[in-house]
Amino acid sequence: MKSRNEALFERARAAIPGGVNSPVRAYRGVGGTPPFLVRGAGSRVWDADGKAYIDYVGSWGPLIAGHAHRAVLEAVQAAARDGLSFGAPTEREVQLAELLKELVPTLELVRLVSSGTEATMTALRLARGYTGRSLVVKFEGCYHGHADSLLVKAGSGALTLGSPDSAGVPSEIASCTLVLPYNDADALKRAFERSGKAIAAIIVEPIAGNMNLVVPDRDFLETARRLCSEHGSVLIFDEVMTGFRVALGGAQARFGVRPDLTTLGKVIGGGMPVGALGGRREIMERLAPLGPVYQAGTLSGSPVAVAAGLATLEIVRAPGFFERVSAETLHLVQGLTAAARARGIVFCAQNVGAMFGMYFRSAPPASYGEVMQCDKSAFTRFFHEMLARGIYFAPSAYEAGFVSSAHTRADIEETLAAADAAFAALARG
Ligand code: PMP
C-alpha cells in the first residue's frame, strides 16, 4: 500500500516538473519521498500520513516566530478583510518600509518586492545603472536567487543537484559575473587591481547560508567595503537569509560593516511573499519613478503579505527575543556536537543567532572548498535517521538550519535524544 505522501508525490510528478515548485524540495540530494506537509503549529509540522516533526526548516527561514503564530495570523486576516490587493499605495507598506529603516540603519530608502530573487536582481540592475558599469563580483557557493547573472557558481539548490550553474544562462551574461572564492580578501584585492574600474558591484552573503553555514572573517567584509569605496563600486549585502535571523540589525550589525545596498526577504514577510532592497538614498533615488532604472510589480507591497511581515517584525524586535532564540540554537548545536563525539562520529555544528550549520567534518568550513570536504554520505544517512525519528532538517548537506522562538527547551532535548540514536546508528555502520 502506498502512503498518502507517496500517492501525492506521484500525482505531483504527473502535473509539475519533478513534482515540486522549487527543486530542493524534491529530495534529490538525499533520496526518498518528500513528506507533503498539511499543517504547522509552533515548532512542529504534520505530513499527509499524520506524522509529526520538529521543524528546523521553517519554510527555509521566514518562520522565525514559528508556524501559524496567532499575532501573525490575526494581522493577515485583518488585512485580507480590507481587500487582497489594490495595486495602489497603502499605509501598511509605508509602515513596513519605516520599520525596516528604523531597524536597519543603512536603509535610507526601501523598495518592497515579492521575493528575494526580485530584490537581488533589482539591486544588481540598480548598481549597474548607478555606476554605468557591467561587471559584478560574486562568491563561489553564495546563492542570490535565480536571476541569470547570479546563477553562476551558486550554492544551495543548484549545488544539491550537482551543478552550481544553470543551462539557459547566455555566456554573454555569465561573462559579466566575476566569481571569486568566499573569504579570500587577497583574491578580491587582485580582482580590483585588474578590473576595479569596470566593477559595478560586489554582492555577498555577509554570512553564507547556501553552502551550509560559512562565517566570514571580518577582514573579508572590511576589505570588500574598502575596495568598493576606493573604486566607486556598490557593496551589496544580500541579507535575504541573515536579515532578522542572525541579529535584529542583520549581519551588518554583527560585523559593523555598512553596505551601500541591502537585500531582504524571508523573515520580513513572516511566511508571505515579501522581499525588499534598500540603502543609500543617492543610489535608491535612481530607481523609477525618480530615476532611469526600471523596476515594478503588480503585487509589490501586497497589503496581506506586508501585514504578516509587520506582525513578525514586531515579535522579533521585542527585548530579549534574539538572546533567547540564540541561546536555544546554541544549546542545539552544542548538544549535537557532544552527541556525535560520544559516538565517535566526525562532526561539528555552529550557530549564528537563530541559524545553524551541521558539518560531517572536524571543524567548521571557512570556504566552499572546505564545505565540499564534508562527508555527504554521512549527512544523508543522518538526515534519514532523524527524519524517521520525527526531526525535519533541510534535505541537503548545503543548507543552513533555522530555529524559531516557538522551539522550546523540551523540543531541543527531544531533538538531541533523536540525534544520539541517529549517531549511534551511524557508528554501527
Ligand atoms: N538570497 C539569499 C541569500 C537566499 O538565501 C535566497 C533564498 N534562499 C535568495 C536570495 C532568493 O530568495 P527567493 O527564494 O525568495 O527568491
Side-chain angles (χ1 to χ4, degrees), residues 60 115-118 120 143-146 156 205 210 238 240-241 266:
W60 303 90
S115 69
T117 293
E118 271 187 85
T120 54
Y143 178 67
H144 304 290
H146 61 93
S156 194
E205 286 184 69
N210 284 290
D238 179 357
V240 166
M241 189 183 282
K266 298 192 190 271

Side-chain angles (χ1 to χ4, degrees), residues 61-65 103-104 207 239-251 253-254 264 267-268 312-331 351-356 402-407 409:
L63 299 182
I64 197 162
L103 299 177
V104 185
I207 293 168
E239 299 230 41
V240 166
M241 189 183 282
T242 53
F244 305 100
R245 171 56 69 181
V246 299
L248 189 56
R254 275 192 96 97
L264 294 164
V267 171
I268 68 162
T312 301
L313 292 182
E314 286 302 336
I315 296 165
V316 163
R317 75 186 303 204
F321 178 92
F322 270 100
E323 285 76 1
R324 204 189 76 74
V325 73
S326 303
E328 292 309 325
T329 314
L330 180 65
H331 187 68
N351 74 303
V352 186
M355 170 173 170
F356 64 92
F402 303 105
V403 172
S404 80
S405 54
H407 286 76
R409 183 53 64 102

Side-chain angles (χ1 to χ4, degrees), residues 38-124:
V38 294
R39 195 166 77 81
S43 61
R44 295 193 188 230
V45 289
W46 284 263
D47 75 11
D49 291 308
K51 185 174 167 69
Y53 305 85
I54 300 177
D55 178 21
Y56 292 101
V57 179
S59 191
W60 303 90
L63 299 182
I64 197 162
H67 289 269
H69 190 288
R70 185 188 299 184
V72 179
L73 290 190
E74 282 171 3
V76 165
Q77 284 159 354
R81 274 194 293 273
D82 290 340
L84 294 182
S85 183
F86 304 104
T90 61
E91 187 173 351
R92 284 190 183 88
E93 65 188 350
V94 182
Q95 287 174 331
L96 183 57
E98 286 171 348
L99 188 54
L100 292 174
K101 272 165 55 85
E102 181 188 333
L103 299 177
V104 185
T106 62
L107 307 180
E108 292 171 7
L109 287 175
V110 180
R111 167 70 46 94
L112 299 181
V113 294
S114 300
S115 69
T117 293
E118 271 187 85
T120 54
M121 186 180 78
T122 306
L124 279 199

Side-chain angles (χ1 to χ4, degrees), residues 5-289:
N5 283 323
E6 285 163 342
L8 279 169
F9 197 40
E10 199 171 298
R11 256 177 70 199
R13 277 178 302 186
I16 300 172
V20 292
N21 285 314
S22 198
V24 79
R25 297 179 195 169
Y27 275 39
R28 286 285 177 95
V30 291
T33 302
F36 273 63
L37 299 185
V38 294
R39 195 166 77 81
S43 61
R44 295 193 188 230
V45 289
W46 284 263
D47 75 11
D49 291 308
K51 185 174 167 69
Y53 305 85
I54 300 177
D55 178 21
Y56 292 101
V57 179
S59 191
W60 303 90
L63 299 182
I64 197 162
H67 289 269
H69 190 288
R70 185 188 299 184
V72 179
L73 290 190
E74 282 171 3
V76 165
Q77 284 159 354
R81 274 194 293 273
D82 290 340
L84 294 182
S85 183
F86 304 104
T90 61
E91 187 173 351
R92 284 190 183 88
E93 65 188 350
V94 182
Q95 287 174 331
L96 183 57
E98 286 171 348
L99 188 54
L100 292 174
K101 272 165 55 85
E102 181 188 333
L103 299 177
V104 185
T106 62
L107 307 180
E108 292 171 7
L109 287 175
V110 180
R111 167 70 46 94
L112 299 181
V113 294
S114 300
S115 69
T117 293
E118 271 187 85
T120 54
M121 186 180 78
T122 306
L124 279 199
R125 186 181 305 137
L126 181 55
R128 285 172 164 153
Y130 172 74
T131 57
R133 305 172 183 177
S134 300
L135 217 52
V136 166
V137 172
K138 82 173 278 294
F139 300 96
E140 208 175 10
C142 283
Y143 178 67
H144 304 290
H146 61 93
D148 282 349
S149 43
L150 289 167
L151 265 192
V152 186
K153 296 268 190 298
S156 194
L159 194 54
T160 303
L161 295 178
S163 155
D165 303 305
S166 169
V169 175
S171 56
E172 294 86 339
I173 292 183
S175 68
C176 289
T177 305
L178 200 60
V179 183
L180 299 180
Y182 194 76
N183 239 345
D184 188 339
D186 290 334
L188 202 49
K189 284 180 207 155
R190 286 195 297 276
F192 271 81
E193 273 162 29
R194 258 196 326 272
S195 325
K197 285 282 164 281
I199 295 173
I202 296 178
I203 185 164
V204 62
E205 286 184 69
I207 293 168
N210 284 290
M211 48 172 162
N212 208 325
L213 174 66
V214 176
V215 180
D217 299 329
R218 179 184 293 270
D219 176 53
F220 172 61
L221 296 179
E222 283 174 352
T223 301
R225 174 65 278 171
R226 183 174 55 73
L227 290 170
C228 282
S229 300
E230 284 171 11
H231 292 82
S233 312
V234 176
L235 180 61
I236 306 170
F237 273 9
D238 179 357
E239 299 230 41
V240 166
M241 189 183 282
T242 53
F244 305 100
R245 171 56 69 181
V246 299
L248 189 56
Q252 53 194 272
R254 275 192 96 97
F255 288 107
V257 176
R258 293 174 65 88
D260 299 305
L261 292 179
T262 299
T263 52
L264 294 164
K266 298 192 190 271
V267 171
I268 68 162
M272 297 286 279
V274 183
L277 67 149
R280 279 172 46 206
R281 176 178 296 276
E282 182 197 352
I283 304 176
M284 291 298 291
E285 284 180 343
R286 308 293 291 187
L287 273 179

